[in-house]
């Protein structure tokens, strides 16, 4: 059976208010929905993997083959160099997070939408890739890496490359050349929409499409 791994680049939040905390529930829902769909004939299983600084070579990632897929979790905006988490009150070390720490592109993009007083913890693309490869993904991995992040296939207004394109370039620099990398356009649902049985992407014109339709290979 093929495997889908939900990879959260943040350390597992063992205390409230740390980055990535919402992905505990989001991943659990995704996994639960997949089990329900599998009962109806789906042919893959979904597992989660969190970054851990003291663990190198997680067997879950190191054993993945060409039919398996990795989904990178986290928020994103067009042309942003990395991913981020909203509402984290402290960083991974427990240090308080304050609004001045928020990268300017996030403030500019989210200010009139959802930013307001929400606090952000971000990771650069380089950090994300280092955490993924350091967690055990083999250089010979020939499956798919899906940047399952809102707008991850979209360039910035000034031509800044998309997060997915940056991920592919960072992987290639580390000799990860056998895998395929994908990003998405629009705002993605965190998991499957219960009434639909699949994930969705919300376009700029407010129409919703199946997430696979918004998926772009980079």
């Amino acid at each position: 059976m093929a495997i889908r791994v939900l990879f959260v680049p943040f350390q597992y939040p063992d205390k409230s208010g740390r980055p990535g905390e919402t992905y505990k529930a989001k991943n659990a829902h995704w996994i639960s929905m997949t089990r329900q769909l599998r009962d109806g004939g789906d042919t893959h299983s979904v597992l989660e993997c969190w970054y851990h600084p003291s663990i190198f070579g997680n067997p879950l990632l190191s054993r993945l083959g060409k039919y398996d897929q990795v989904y990178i979790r986290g928020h994103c905006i067009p042309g942003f160099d990395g991913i981020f988490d909203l509402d984290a009150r402290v960083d991974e070390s427990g240090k308080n997070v304050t609004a001045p720490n928020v990268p300017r592109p996030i403030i500019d993009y989210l200010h009139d939408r959802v930013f307001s007083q929400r606090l952000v913890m971000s990771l650069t693309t380089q950090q994300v890739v280092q955490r993924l490869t350091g967690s055990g993904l083999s250089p010979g991995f020939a499956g798919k890496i899906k940047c399952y992040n809102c707008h991850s296939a979209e360039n910035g207004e000034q031509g800044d490359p998309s997060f997915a394109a940056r991920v592919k370039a960072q992987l290639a620099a580390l000799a990860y050349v056998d895998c395929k990398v994908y990003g998405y356009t629009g705002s993605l649902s965190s998991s499957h929409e219960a009434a639909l049985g699949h994930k969705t992407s919300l376009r700029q014109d407010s129409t919703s499409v199946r997430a696979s339709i918004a998926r772009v290979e980079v």
Side-chain angles (χ1 to χ4, degrees):
M1 178 179 291
I3 297 174
R4 307 289 185 265
V5 176
L6 306 179
F7 179 73
V8 185
F10 297 108
Q11 295 180 40
Y12 187 82
D14 54 355
K15 295 182 180 180
S16 178
R18 294 202 173 191
E21 185 174 10
T22 59
Y23 288 101
K24 289 182 178 180
K26 291 177 179 180
N27 287 355
H29 182 260
W30 188 321
I31 292 169
S32 175
M33 287 297 298
T34 301
R35 286 172 180 160
Q36 295 178 37
L37 295 170
R38 191 167 65 228
D39 290 340
D42 208 338
T43 58
H44 68 266
S45 61
V46 178
L47 303 170
E48 64 178 341
C49 177
W50 296 71
Y51 169 70
H52 195 294
S54 64
I55 296 179
F56 181 83
N58 187 311
L60 174 59
L61 290 178
S62 62
R63 292 198 302 260
L64 295 180
K66 65 178 180 179
Y67 299 111
D68 301 323
Q69 301 179 16
V70 176
Y71 286 77
I72 297 176
R73 304 289 264 155
H75 294 291
C76 194
I77 58 175
F80 185 63
D81 181 12
I83 54 100
F84 58 92
D85 184 42
L86 291 165
D87 298 327
R89 297 192 300 275
V90 296
D91 63 17
E92 293 174 309
S93 67
K95 181 180 178 181
N96 288 337
V97 176
T98 58
N101 291 336
V102 180
R104 187 75 230 178
I106 298 178
I107 295 177
D108 293 341
Y109 189 80
L110 298 180
H111 181 71
D112 294 328
R113 308 184 186 197
V114 299
F115 183 69
S116 187
Q117 297 301 310
R118 301 174 77 173
L119 303 179
V120 172
M121 164 67 183
S122 64
L123 295 172
T124 66
T125 306
Q126 183 179 32
Q127 289 175 309
V128 172
V129 171
Q130 286 178 338
R131 291 183 175 202
L132 175 59
T133 57
S135 294
L137 189 69
S138 169
F141 175 61
K144 298 176 180 178
I145 295 178
K146 295 181 177 178
C147 300
Y148 194 78
N149 325 94
C150 297
H151 313 291
S152 61
E154 300 174 34
N155 295 334
E157 292 183 358
Q158 304 302 318
D160 296 317
S162 69
F163 171 61
R166 294 174 189 265
V167 167
K168 182 175 181 178
Q170 289 281 340
L171 286 168
L174 296 174
Y176 286 76
V177 296
D178 296 326
C179 56
K180 293 183 178 180
V181 180
Y182 298 82
Y184 291 78
T185 60
S187 299
L188 299 171
S189 60
S190 296
S191 178
H192 304 70
E193 299 286 351
L196 300 175
H198 60 74
K199 303 177 290 296
T200 62
S201 173
L202 184 65
R203 293 175 164 175
Q204 286 188 342
D205 61 4
S206 297
T207 59
S208 180
V209 298
R210 196 178 185 113
S212 58
I213 295 177
R215 187 173 64 231
V216 178
E217 183 177 357
V218 296

